[in-house]
Amino acid sequence: MDVFFQRYLVERDAPRTLKLLSDQVYSVGTGEGEVAVGKEAFADLLGTELTQLPGPIFYTMSDYVQKKRVPGCWDCFCHMEMSLTLPDGTQALYHTRVTAGLHWDGMRFLIDTIHASEASKYQENGEFFPLKFISQGLKALSRETRHELMELIEQIMPGGIVGGYMEEGFPLYVANERLLNMAEYESYEDFEDDIQGLVINSIHPDDQAYVNAEMAEILAQGDQYEIEYHEEKGRQLFLGP
């Protein structure tokens, strides 16, 4: 592993780096497009990278561990701290985690799989997925994105659909055309203005306290819910999650 990173990051020597990879190597980097299946694909990515960042990238490996999977095959893991000088002269420091699978071909170890991952900046300590960030990110949905989201939902749940955040008043984030037509609104903006951006205001006043109480009680038991209530212009069914 150390020899591989020395050749790859510091020496920036593509031919000698490729010699340490098996022909069927699988490589996954931290970038969206940094996936290579096979040595040729890895070589293409490496060539592009060296064109953009030809200078050395210095690194420190820590927390290195390894285990034998079967005779001649090993799984390895380490943390990496890398430092480099960007083309504009800026000094950059980058942290990542690396896992790799290697096998002994009789003369040397070859890398079969290598995967670099970056700890999420949006995931809080103790949280298994960045759910809070995802929830907050939904609030920034553009009108176009909300429309695309509704098209997907309508394929699964045809009918009038309105979506609100699980916060006080259920702030509105989506409503489909069928619901707007049923409620006799000419546009999403008209509906949003009329309910002051809160789904609770689309519920009949006689049912608002009931819906709030039911939601609080049901969500305390889990994340699935179903509530039937009256709205100002008809009847709706509140479904979850």
Side-chain angles (χ1 to χ4, degrees):
M1 290 287 288
D2 197 29
V3 171
F4 170 77
F5 286 122
Q6 178 67 26
R7 294 182 181 182
Y8 166 38
L9 296 175
V10 180
E11 299 174 10
R12 308 300 268 164
D13 189 328
R16 296 182 69 233
T17 298
L18 294 172
K19 286 183 179 180
L20 298 178
L21 303 179
S22 70
D23 291 338
Q24 293 78 35
V25 65
Y26 287 1
S27 172
V28 179
T30 55
E32 183 175 351
E34 294 180 16
V35 177
V37 178
K39 186 186 289 189
E40 290 186 6
F42 185 94
D44 290 340
L45 284 177
L46 181 57
T48 301
E49 178 185 325
L50 293 178
T51 299
Q52 297 178 3
L53 292 172
I57 301 174
F58 300 99
Y59 69 92
T60 301
M61 296 173 60
S62 62
D63 302 321
Y64 178 85
V65 292
Q66 63 184 35
K67 67 176 181 179
K68 183 186 296 184
R69 187 174 351 120
V70 295
C73 294
W74 295 78
D75 295 320
C76 307
F77 168 82
C78 67
H79 282 100
M80 298 279 293
E81 179 181 277
M82 294 175 284
S83 60
L84 68 155
T85 302
L86 300 176
D88 62 0
T90 303
Q91 295 293 317
L93 190 66
Y94 183 65
H95 295 269
T96 188
R97 294 90 53 98
V98 177
T99 56
L102 298 87
H103 80 272
W104 180 256
D105 74 345
M107 297 184 296
R108 58 183 175 173
F109 280 107
L110 293 177
I111 296 175
D112 299 306
T113 61
I114 187 162
H115 181 197
S117 63
E118 180 184 8
S120 174
K121 299 180 179 65
Y122 311 109
Q123 187 169 323
E124 295 184 354
N125 189 31
E127 187 180 30
F128 288 99
F129 296 97
L131 300 178
K132 183 175 181 181
F133 170 75
I134 293 172
S135 176
Q136 292 174 340
L138 282 172
K139 297 179 183 179
L141 286 177
S142 67
R143 183 72 176 91
E144 292 75 15
T145 303
R146 284 187 292 196
H147 180 70
E148 293 174 1
L149 175 62
M150 289 313 307
E151 288 182 343
L152 293 174
I153 295 176
E154 287 174 19
Q155 294 176 22
I156 304 171
M157 300 172 53
I161 301 169
V162 61
Y165 298 104
M166 299 308 302
E167 298 175 6
E168 183 177 359
F170 313 118
L172 176 72
Y173 71 87
V174 287
N176 71 342
E177 294 300 324
R178 185 167 299 178
L179 179 133
L180 298 176
N181 292 334
M182 291 167 55
E184 300 178 359
Y185 286 97
E186 294 185 358
S187 69
Y188 177 92
E189 289 74 19
D190 288 343
F191 176 64
E192 186 176 32
D193 290 342
D194 191 37
I195 65 173
Q196 299 175 5
L198 300 176
V199 175
I200 193 69
N201 292 332
S202 71
I203 299 172
H204 193 283
D206 292 345
D207 288 348
Q208 290 181 6
Y210 159 73
V211 170
N212 280 323
E214 285 292 300
M215 291 293 290
E217 181 178 348
I218 294 173
L219 290 177
Q221 303 171 12
D223 60 1
Q224 300 290 330
Y225 51 87
E226 179 174 326
I227 301 175
E228 188 170 340
Y229 62 89
H230 294 84
E231 62 161 344
E232 292 289 356
K233 299 180 181 179
R235 179 182 293 270
Q236 291 184 356
L237 190 64
F238 215 146
L239 299 173

